[in-house]
């Protein structure tokens, strides 16, 4: 029986061109070799299993090759190449810093650096997981790294770049390795499957690619595992799903179908089935979020590329995204996001998810009611001819969002203008008008559905961004007049007061202001107050510029000590004060020989 070699080793790339998904690095390295501009120290950073050590070995082999081809790839036949291939070359030294991180280990390595190579041109030192070296080891190594002999090349590899000392970083040429795209991984696995005579379904390989999350080595071990489990060297999607314990994305499609149809019962039964298969409820919620996100991404041709799924799955997503309304998806993301955030703290986690599903299943009905109300309102006002119920985004004049259209044009309207709402398009509802009211309805809806206690604390990003797009602040800027300025100035001071600002700041904000062109003049008593103004200057001007049509608005605080009418305080002052009012008092004092009592 043949000795089994794992695929990750058996199919380890031996030339630059066969490295998967890191062409930006291999091209640079080849160019450096061609032009003889090779650095003496490299730092290879990136997640595990993406080809750092492999690239280091290929580099070592290539620069020592005795008859390097024009394509800057090692020949694989010369003495040096053969010894590299047999792991017998004396010109390459590998140190795994994860297990050998003491000063002694580094000293041993430095000792070897002193001897030039017996054969070949370069000696290559690869230090893996270099961030694990102890502080003392780092220091011992630094000297050698600073002045290496001309034949020595150091390749440091790490998964955690931020842990590397700046002194090391500054002496290395840094290469950042990418996570490998799941499509590239699947393609590579297909190659190997063909060479091994394994009949693999393409979907199965893509599933492995996704599960590996960018790491080729992980993908290859999963591949090996699945091949071991398989019968007759046949790799099916279903078997891989089972072996890797992945929840079939088909479930998410089924559940979304149930939800958009408003069927609480069907969605709960499906969820029960998932739990009975041994899947975690939280993982299901996260998967559902991802599913909604994918559907949302499908709503616009420009964002479909963000979909990281297999081709057959992509078709399914595109189909389902046509059935799901944009308002539904945004609200669903918000509700499911809340469920995800609160999952850990829920006492009855199953019920928590079920409640979320019930809310989701109820959504279509609520949305329809909402659009009915909007249509009704429009009909009453008779501004526009009656819209059909399907064009739920009737442009209600009650939604005053003219200026927000600048924002929504880039995010909102792009989605509104998809084939999912052919009715809206054919009736010449301009997307700019339609989108904001649609977004607005979504927001108020999610607010009514979410328990009020949770709302202010944690809002999902989607919800927050929707609110921003529909914020009335962006509506229309007012003319710069003193009255308007004072109004918004007061608004700002109230805002700061609520935020609990300092007394000095509040006194400053209560001062009288003047308007001189586009400059706000404010007279202050002392430097502290001036500092206070300067500290909140940007926030203040930003706040005002959002509301006033004055892009050049500025503020000029100046300290002008007032002529203070001091009240008499000491006995002498009191006497003088009184004497000023009544000069006879002085005479009285002199006549009686009196003095002021201090
Ligand atoms: Zn060679």
């Amino acid at each position: 029986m043949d000795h089994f070699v794992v695929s990750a080793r058996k199919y380890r790339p031996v030339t630059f061109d066969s490295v998967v998904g890191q062409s930006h690095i291999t091209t640079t390295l080849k160019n450096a070799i061609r032009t003889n501009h090779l650095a003496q120290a490299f730092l290879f950073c990136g997640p595990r299993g993406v080809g750092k050590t492999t690239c280091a070995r290929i580099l070592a082999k290539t620069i020592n090759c005795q008859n390097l081809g024009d394509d800057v790839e090692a020949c694989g036949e010369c003495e040096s190449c053969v010894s590299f291939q047999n792991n017998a070359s004396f010109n390459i030294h590998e140190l795994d810093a994860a297990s050998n991180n003491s000063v002694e280990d580094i000293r041993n390595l430095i000792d070897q650096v002193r001897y030039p190579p017996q054969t070949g041109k370069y000696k290559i030192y690869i230090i893996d997981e270099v961030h694990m070296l102890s502080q003392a080891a780092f220091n011992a190594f630094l000297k050698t790294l600073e002045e290496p002999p001309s034949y020595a090349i150091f390749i440091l590899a790490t998964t955690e770049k931020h842990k590397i000392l700046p002194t090391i970083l500054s002496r290395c040429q840094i290469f950042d390795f990418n996570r490998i795209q799941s499509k590239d991984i699947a393609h590579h696995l297909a190659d190997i499957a063909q060479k091994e005579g394994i009949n693999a379904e393409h979907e199965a390989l893509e599933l492995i690619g996704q599960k590996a999350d960018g790491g080729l080595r992980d993908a290859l071990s999963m591949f090996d595992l699945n091949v071991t489990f398989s019968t007759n060297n046949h790799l099916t999607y279903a078997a891989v799903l089972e072996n890797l314990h992945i929840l079939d994305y088909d479930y998410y499609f089924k559940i979304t179908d149930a939800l958009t149809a408003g069927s609480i019962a069907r969605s709960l039964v499906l969820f029960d089935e998932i739990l009975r298969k041994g899947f975690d409820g939280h993982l299901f919620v996260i998967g559902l979020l991802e599913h909604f996100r994918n559907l949302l991404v499908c709503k616009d041709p420009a964002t479909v590329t963000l979909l990281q799924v297999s081709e057959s799955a992509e078709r399914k997503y595109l189909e389902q995204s046509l059935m799901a309304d944009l308002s539904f998806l945004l609200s669903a993301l918000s509700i499911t996001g809340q469920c995800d955030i609160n999952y850990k703290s829920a006492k009855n986690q199953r019920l928590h998810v079920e409640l979320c599903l019930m809310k989701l299943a109820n959504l279509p009905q609520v949305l329809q009611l909402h659009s009915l109300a909007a249509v009704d309102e429009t009909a009453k006002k008779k501004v526009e001819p009656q819209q059909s119920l399907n064009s739920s985004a009737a442009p209600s004049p009650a939604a005053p969002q003219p200026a927000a259209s600048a924002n929504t044009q880039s995010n909102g309207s792009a989605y509104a203008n998809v084939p999912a709402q052919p009715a809206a398009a054919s009736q010449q509802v301009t997307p700019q008008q339609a989108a904001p009211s649609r977004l607005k309805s979504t927001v108020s809806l999610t607010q009514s559905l979410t328990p009020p206690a949770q709302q202010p604390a944690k809002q999902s990003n989607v919800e927050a961004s929707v609110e921003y797009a529909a914020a009335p602040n962006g509506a229309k800027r007012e003319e710069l007049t003193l009255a308007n300025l004072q109004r918004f100035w007061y608004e700002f001071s109230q805002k700061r007061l609520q935020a609990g600002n300092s007394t000095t700041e509040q006194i400053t904000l209560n001062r009288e202001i003047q308007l001189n062109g586009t400059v706000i003049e404010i007279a202050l008593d002392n430097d502290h107050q001036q500092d206070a103004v300067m500290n909140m200057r940007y926030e203040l001007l930003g706040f005002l510029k959002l509301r006033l049509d004055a892009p050049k608005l500025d503020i000029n605080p100046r300290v002008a000590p007032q002529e203070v009418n001091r009240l008499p305080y000491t006995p002498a002052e009191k006497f003088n004060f009184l004497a000023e009012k009544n000069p006879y008092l002085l005479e009285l004092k002199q006549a009686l020989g009196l003095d002021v009592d201090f």
Side-chain angles (χ1 to χ4, degrees):
M1 186 183 152
D2 280 347
H3 181 63
F4 175 72
V5 183
V6 294
S7 300
R9 277 185 57 198
K10 190 169 177 186
Y11 294 100
R12 190 189 269 278
V14 289
T15 57
F16 281 126
D17 282 348
S18 52
V19 176
V20 181
Q22 310 292 359
S23 59
H24 63 297
I25 285 169
T26 50
T27 313
T28 315
L29 287 176
K30 277 167 85 170
N31 283 338
I33 297 171
R34 185 182 291 129
T35 56
N36 221 348
H37 276 126
L38 212 56
Q40 284 206 276
F42 295 91
L43 181 66
F44 287 180
C45 323
R48 64 202 197 94
V50 295
K52 296 187 296 293
T53 318
T54 303
C55 274
R57 286 188 189 154
I58 295 174
L59 179 69
K61 183 174 144 191
T62 311
I63 55 183
N64 274 311
C65 176
Q66 284 151 359
N67 35 26
L68 198 61
D70 288 338
D71 58 346
V72 203
E73 294 281 13
C75 68
E77 288 161 3
C78 67
E79 195 188 334
S80 164
C81 285
V82 170
S83 66
F84 264 105
Q85 270 145 228
N86 297 334
N87 286 331
S89 176
F90 290 111
N91 288 345
I92 186 161
H93 300 270
E94 288 189 43
L95 180 79
D96 180 19
S99 43
N100 312 297
N101 58 0
S102 68
V103 190
E104 276 310 303
D105 295 314
I106 278 291
R107 291 225 173 98
N108 286 341
L109 186 118
I110 294 170
D111 281 344
Q112 291 169 5
V113 176
R114 276 191 276 151
Y115 306 108
Q118 305 276 303
T119 55
K121 282 188 280 184
Y122 296 99
K123 273 175 119 175
I124 285 90
Y125 298 86
I126 301 174
I127 305 182
D128 233 341
E129 304 295 338
V130 67
H131 61 272
M132 301 283 275
L133 282 184
S134 66
Q135 185 73 40
F138 255 130
N139 291 338
F141 181 51
L142 207 56
K143 186 86 187 78
T144 315
L145 198 62
E146 252 170 14
E147 292 165 0
S150 60
Y151 50 79
I153 288 184
F154 293 96
I155 299 175
L156 316 180
T158 180
T159 47
E160 289 170 67
K161 187 175 162 187
H162 59 276
K163 288 189 182 166
I164 308 285
L165 296 177
T167 41
I168 302 265
L169 285 178
S170 66
R171 285 167 178 82
C172 295
Q173 209 171 68
I174 300 170
F175 287 88
D176 287 301
F177 283 66
N178 292 334
R179 266 178 212 288
I180 304 167
Q181 299 267 320
S182 55
K183 277 177 189 163
D184 289 342
I185 293 184
H187 192 73
H188 187 65
L189 291 181
D191 270 359
I192 292 178
Q194 202 188 4
K195 281 176 196 158
E196 293 281 310
I198 291 161
N199 182 9
E201 284 177 13
H202 191 65
E203 278 207 306
L205 298 180
E206 290 203 325
L207 194 62
I208 295 178
Q210 279 164 31
K211 179 86 175 171
D213 193 27
L216 189 59
R217 189 171 53 213
D218 287 355
L220 287 169
S221 355
M222 279 185 231
F223 175 77
D224 285 346
L225 177 88
N226 279 289
V227 170
T228 318
F229 279 133
S230 70
T231 44
N232 307 330
N233 277 350
H234 187 70
L235 217 59
T236 62
Y237 175 76
V240 172
L241 213 55
E242 176 102 24
N243 288 336
L244 298 181
H245 198 65
I246 301 173
L247 183 55
D248 188 359
Y249 62 73
D250 231 32
Y251 270 111
Y252 294 118
F253 282 107
K254 281 190 210 158
I255 266 204
T256 308
D257 278 342
L259 294 176
T260 47
S263 169
I264 293 182
R266 203 140 48 95
S267 63
L268 292 187
V269 169
L270 278 167
F271 178 55
D272 178 62
E273 201 177 316
I274 292 167
L275 287 183
R276 270 192 285 120
K277 282 198 167 186
F279 288 100
D280 178 45
H282 200 187
L283 284 180
F284 163 73
V285 172
I286 294 168
L288 191 62
L289 263 177
E290 173 92 23
H291 184 79
F292 288 144
R293 178 259 183 200
N294 285 346
L295 289 175
L296 190 75
V297 154
C298 288
K299 282 273 178 200
D300 192 306
T303 47
V304 172
T305 46
L306 300 179
L307 208 58
Q308 283 268 329
V309 294
S310 63
E311 274 170 34
S312 56
E314 190 174 319
R315 229 179 5 259
K316 277 186 166 178
Y317 273 114
L318 284 168
E319 265 168 34
Q320 194 166 59
S321 82
L322 290 182
M323 310 304 294
D325 198 42
L326 178 70
S327 326
F328 172 81
L329 289 176
L330 284 173
S331 307
L333 274 166
S334 171
I335 293 170
T336 320
Q338 281 294 337
C339 179
D340 169 33
I341 291 167
N342 296 324
Y343 186 87
K344 283 268 149 66
S345 56
K347 282 277 188 297
N348 186 343
Q349 296 178 324
R350 182 186 172 126
L351 183 65
H352 186 64
V353 180
E354 285 176 341
L355 202 63
C356 166
L357 288 174
M358 291 181 213
K359 281 183 196 170
L360 291 174
N362 200 32
L363 259 182
Q365 210 184 339
V366 179
L367 286 171
Q368 205 179 8
L369 279 177
H370 207 79
S371 62
L372 271 174
V375 171
D376 209 28
E377 210 170 289
T378 324
K380 270 185 209 157
K381 298 206 174 180
K382 292 187 179 174
V383 178
E384 293 261 327
Q386 177 116 22
Q387 310 280 328
S388 86
L389 293 192
N390 274 344
S391 67
S392 55
S396 87
Q401 309 288 353
S405 67
N407 283 336
T408 39
Q409 217 156 11
S410 57
N411 38 49
S413 72
Y415 286 113
N417 202 10
V418 294
Q421 288 92 25
S426 65
Q427 287 178 341
Q428 293 184 333
V429 179
T430 58
Q432 284 91 334
Q433 276 176 313
S437 64
R438 188 175 277 253
L439 289 175
K440 197 174 164 233
S441 70
T442 314
V443 172
S444 59
L445 188 87
T446 49
Q447 279 169 350
S448 67
L449 280 169
T450 338
Q454 299 165 356
Q455 251 191 34
K458 291 170 183 169
Q459 281 184 326
S460 73
N461 284 339
V462 175
E463 202 173 335
S465 69
V466 169
E467 272 193 331
Y468 177 74
N473 297 343
K476 195 181 169 202
R477 295 191 167 89
E478 298 196 21
E479 196 191 343
L480 178 63
T481 61
L482 184 60
N484 280 341
L485 175 66
Q486 280 168 337
R487 188 152 56 88
F488 291 125
W489 181 279
Y490 177 71
E491 210 176 282
F492 181 78
S493 89
Q494 290 309 104
K495 200 174 96 140
R496 297 289 286 201
L497 190 63
Q498 276 168 10
N501 58 353
S502 69
T503 322
T504 316
E505 209 180 283
Q506 204 51 42
I507 290 174
T508 317
L509 285 170
N510 286 340
R511 299 307 292 242
E512 196 182 340
I513 49 169
Q514 297 294 334
L515 192 59
N516 180 13
T518 56
V519 179
I520 306 166
E521 300 278 359
I522 178 168
L524 303 166
D525 288 338
N526 54 41
D527 292 345
H528 293 298
Q529 294 178 355
Q530 195 174 23
D531 285 348
V533 173
M534 292 318 273
N535 281 340
M536 60 184 161
R537 184 163 172 254
Y538 286 110
E539 200 183 328
L540 174 65
L541 289 176
F543 182 86
L544 294 173
K545 281 178 187 175
L546 264 182
R547 287 151 181 85
L548 291 166
D549 185 22
K552 288 185 181 164
L553 193 68
D554 206 349
I555 186 164
N556 176 26
R558 64 198 152 75
V559 179
Q562 293 172 351
E563 290 298 316
V564 188
N565 251 344
R566 285 196 64 195
L567 291 173
Y569 184 67
T570 62
E573 281 172 358
K574 283 178 186 163
F575 178 78
N576 290 340
F577 179 74
L578 291 173
E580 254 176 55
K581 299 212 164 179
N582 188 352
Y584 289 116
L585 211 57
L586 272 175
E587 280 177 34
L588 181 73
K589 182 190 162 204
Q590 276 164 358
L592 297 176
L594 297 172
D595 211 345
V596 183
D597 183 18
F598 290 99

